[in-house]
Amino acid sequence: MEKLIITAAICGAEVMKEHNPAVPYTVEECVREAKSAYDAGASLIHLHVRHDDGTPTQDRDRFEKVIRAIEAACPDVIIQPSTGGAVGMTNDERLQPIELMPEMATLDCGTLNFGGDEIFINTENTIKYFGKRMIELGIKPELEVFDKSMIDMALRLHKKGFIETPMHFDFVMGVNGGISGTLRDFVFMRGSIPEDATYTVAGMGRFEMQLAVAAIIDGGHVRVGFEDNVYLSRGVLAKSNGELVEKVARLAKEFGREIANPAEAREILGLKPR
Ligand code: KMH
Ligand code: ZN
């Protein structure tokens, strides 16, 4: 079986220090959290950035500062900026970090109710616009799919030339408004992607570790981190993103799955050398 890529989604745009005091806002805190994850076996960092007061931003300069600082602390790690940003941002605001020419970036494949009264908007034209820019810049998209319909959208837009193969999906499961985090739905999602595609799974909250185990056994890849879940186990806050990565690495070991280093992750994902 392929080695396991562990992604750490260290920050997100919604989770705050009120949820877990270790949620990073400043550049230094982002580096601390990325390094804890990297040291525990993460080869990929999914990155949102904040102002020092915790407000989410897609500002190019803020991304540049955080990315360069993480690169200095975590040699060779793959950094994947978010182009989802936070609900309510414009397309061009969201796209700013791809000007920094990262190897990867997220590409959200549909609109959904997002945790109650908010709507995370990704119309077909938005997805086409983001997909085309990423092809032009040679950036591999991680296709964020919050429901099965978003896989279908990605496949349609591949046929129209907006997304290249082999595709790499992130099944984001358990968001209030998206597909549930049950095993039944996981099997449905992973059975709906092309043979040559790769996937990682990001389970929200209590689904995080259950779905991690499912992907470890299935030959998929795993995303954990404060963006999706702040607990190490029921009622116990994780002290760092590294603790969550460490738990996945431990589980993988139990099931005989080796962990990919960044070079191996690049190979598996077919990333273009920069
Ligand atoms: N913060 C969510 C509204 C992504 O990173 O591409 C969108 C999100 C997806 O987190
Ligand atoms: Zn994100």
Side-chain angles (χ1 to χ4, degrees):
M1 212 179 263
E2 226 165 36
K3 288 191 180 180
L4 175 72
I5 302 171
I6 306 178
T7 297
I10 59 170
C11 174
E14 292 80 24
V15 67
M16 303 298 287
K17 286 189 191 292
E18 288 73 29
H19 303 112
N20 183 325
V23 170
Y25 299 163
T26 67
V27 177
E28 295 70 29
E29 288 168 350
C30 286
V31 173
R32 182 199 70 214
E33 286 307 306
K35 177 131 175 60
S36 77
Y38 171 80
D39 288 344
S43 51
L44 208 163
I45 305 292
H46 167 67
L47 190 66
H48 290 251
V49 296
R50 314 284 188 96
H51 293 295
D52 286 351
D53 68 358
T55 313
T57 176
Q58 289 292 102
D59 181 67
R60 179 192 189 282
D61 294 343
R62 183 67 167 187
F63 261 105
E64 186 161 30
K65 270 200 193 83
V66 178
I67 288 172
R68 300 299 164 240
I70 292 176
E71 281 171 348
C74 311
D76 210 30
V77 77
I78 303 164
I79 301 179
Q80 176 202 83
S82 168
T83 68
V87 167
M89 291 177 172
T90 66
N91 289 348
D92 287 325
E93 193 179 357
R94 285 166 51 182
L95 268 182
Q96 291 177 74
I98 68 168
E99 291 164 25
L100 299 167
M101 300 293 288
E103 295 169 273
M104 295 185 90
T106 55
L107 174 50
D108 294 274
C109 291
T111 295
L112 76 155
N113 285 343
F114 195 78
D117 226 13
E118 305 208 292
I119 306 174
F120 181 36
I121 298 177
N122 296 283
T123 65
E124 182 165 330
N125 281 341
T126 295
I127 306 163
K128 284 178 173 169
Y129 177 45
F130 283 34
K132 187 161 169 283
R133 278 302 284 150
M134 289 189 204
I135 290 173
E136 284 164 1
L137 297 176
I139 296 169
K140 174 138 184 166
E142 179 165 290
L143 304 166
E144 302 251 326
V145 289
F146 296 74
D147 217 327
K148 157 70 161 61
S149 60
M150 298 193 195
I151 296 177
D152 299 332
M153 173 64 87
L155 300 181
R156 265 200 307 279
L157 293 190
H158 160 63
K159 282 200 188 121
K160 292 184 180 172
F162 294 94
I163 295 171
E164 292 178 331
T165 52
M167 291 183 242
H168 176 64
F169 291 87
D170 178 22
F171 304 152
V172 188
M173 303 186 65
V175 170
N176 175 9
I179 198 161
S180 87
T182 60
L183 270 183
R184 182 198 66 171
D185 285 348
F186 168 77
V187 171
F188 181 43
M189 295 287 273
R190 73 94 46 246
S192 303
I193 61 174
E195 282 280 312
D196 67 345
T198 48
Y199 78 85
T200 192
V201 68
M204 301 301 109
R206 68 192 167 90
F207 295 114
E208 185 169 78
M209 290 298 163
Q210 297 174 16
L211 290 172
V213 170
I216 288 167
I217 296 167
D218 183 51
H221 305 283
V222 173
R223 173 175 122 172
V224 291
F226 290 159
E227 178 165 349
D228 306 330
N229 167 49
V230 293
Y231 291 99
L232 187 61
S233 56
R234 196 186 167 104
V236 180
L237 288 175
K239 290 193 187 74
S240 65
N241 278 274
E243 270 200 341
L244 294 166
V245 172
E246 212 173 273
K247 185 164 174 177
V248 175
R250 207 163 53 235
L251 289 165
K253 196 168 171 213
E254 288 297 326
F255 288 102
R257 188 100 187 263
E258 287 181 72
I259 309 297
N261 64 31
E264 290 161 341
R266 282 187 177 87
E267 182 82 28
I268 293 166
L269 295 169
L271 297 183
K272 301 202 171 105
R274 283 270 177 253

